[in-house]
């Protein structure tokens, strides 16, 4: 199993899909699984039940993925639960797609998905990403077996990951 972690806009889904296609593996996006199981968008889940409830759904989905030969793209905050960090590290290879906040803001502004993820802080996108990354960066690094520079072209990143598998 191969887990891809990182913040919103780091390319987890794009890279994961291409890598899965190349390897002939199944691709699983934990956010999509949550949407399918809950029958609601993440924004609706958080609005109706709160972040703690969403984080529990995220953990349940992560632990439900049991098959081998799968590439798992995770939600940006999945690493906040120590249990999730352990599950990923113990069951596969964890890759952190790292990018600076300015790059992430440019990508998110280019492809806005407002219904996908509500604001965590209510601040501007750049201020929010900077704050979230300050908190999560050490956790991403501690969880990952490999750190990849996500500002490189997609083809370069996919080739680096092909070499890891």
């Amino acid at each position: 199993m191969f887990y891809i972690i990182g913040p919103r806009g780091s390319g987890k889904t794009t890279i994961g899909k291409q890598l899965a296609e190349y390897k002939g593996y199944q691709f699983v996006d934990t956010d999509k699984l949550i949407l399918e199981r809950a029958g609601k968008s993440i924004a609706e889940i958080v609005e109706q039940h709160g972040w703690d409830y969403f984080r529990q759904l995220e953990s349940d989905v992560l632990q439900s993925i049991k098959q081998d030969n799968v590439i798992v793209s995770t939600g940006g905050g999945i690493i906040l639960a120590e249990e999730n960090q352990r599950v990923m590290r113990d069951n596969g290879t964890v890759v952190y797609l790292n990018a600076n906040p300015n790059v992430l803001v440019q990508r998110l502004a280019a492809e806005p998905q407002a219904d996908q993820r509500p604001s965590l802080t209510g601040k501007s996108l750049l201020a929010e990403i900077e704050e979230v990354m300050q908190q999560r960066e050490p956790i991403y690094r501690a969880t990952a077996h490999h750190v990849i520079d996500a500002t490189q072209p997609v083809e370069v990143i996919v080739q680096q990951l092909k070499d890891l598998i």
Side-chain angles (χ1 to χ4, degrees):
M1 202 162 329
F2 206 80
Y3 299 94
I4 303 175
I5 64 173
R8 290 188 296 163
S10 62
K12 300 181 299 283
T13 300
T14 302
I15 301 294
K17 283 180 178 175
Q18 288 193 22
L19 192 60
E21 189 176 309
Y22 166 78
K23 291 297 289 181
Y25 285 8
Q26 182 180 355
F27 174 74
V28 175
D29 182 314
T30 59
D31 282 350
K32 277 212 168 92
L33 269 183
I34 291 168
L35 263 114
E36 289 169 12
R37 291 182 184 181
K40 303 174 187 177
S41 71
I42 292 169
E44 290 170 323
I45 294 167
V46 171
E47 184 181 316
Q48 294 170 12
H49 304 285
W51 278 106
D52 290 343
Y53 180 81
F54 171 73
R55 293 291 177 217
Q56 186 57 54
L57 289 177
E58 199 169 47
S59 295
D60 294 347
V61 161
L62 180 68
Q63 292 177 29
S64 74
I65 303 166
K66 301 285 187 202
Q67 62 272 44
D68 289 330
N69 300 335
V70 65
I71 308 289
V72 181
S73 170
T74 64
I78 205 163
I79 46 85
L80 295 174
E82 287 184 28
E83 175 68 7
N84 293 344
Q85 297 167 34
R86 188 191 60 72
V87 165
M88 290 186 291
R89 285 191 63 80
D90 290 354
N91 293 305
T93 301
V94 184
V95 172
Y96 167 35
L97 294 181
N98 175 277
N100 74 52
N102 289 316
V103 169
L104 298 173
V105 168
Q106 287 174 353
R107 289 179 180 175
L108 291 170
E111 291 187 44
Q113 296 177 319
D115 65 323
Q116 176 74 349
R117 281 292 175 133
S119 170
L120 294 168
T121 63
K123 297 179 178 178
S124 75
L125 191 55
L126 179 59
E128 177 173 303
I129 289 173
E130 288 173 340
E131 185 176 310
V132 168
M133 285 304 295
Q134 186 173 8
Q135 174 198 16
R136 294 181 184 174
E137 174 79 9
I139 305 169
Y140 285 135
R141 289 188 177 274
T143 304
H145 294 101
H146 305 280
V147 178
I148 301 288
D149 177 0
T151 63
Q152 302 174 94
V154 170
E155 307 75 43
V156 173
I157 296 169
V158 171
Q159 184 58 54
Q160 288 175 343
L161 296 177
K162 286 177 184 177
D163 295 343
L164 288 178
I165 296 182

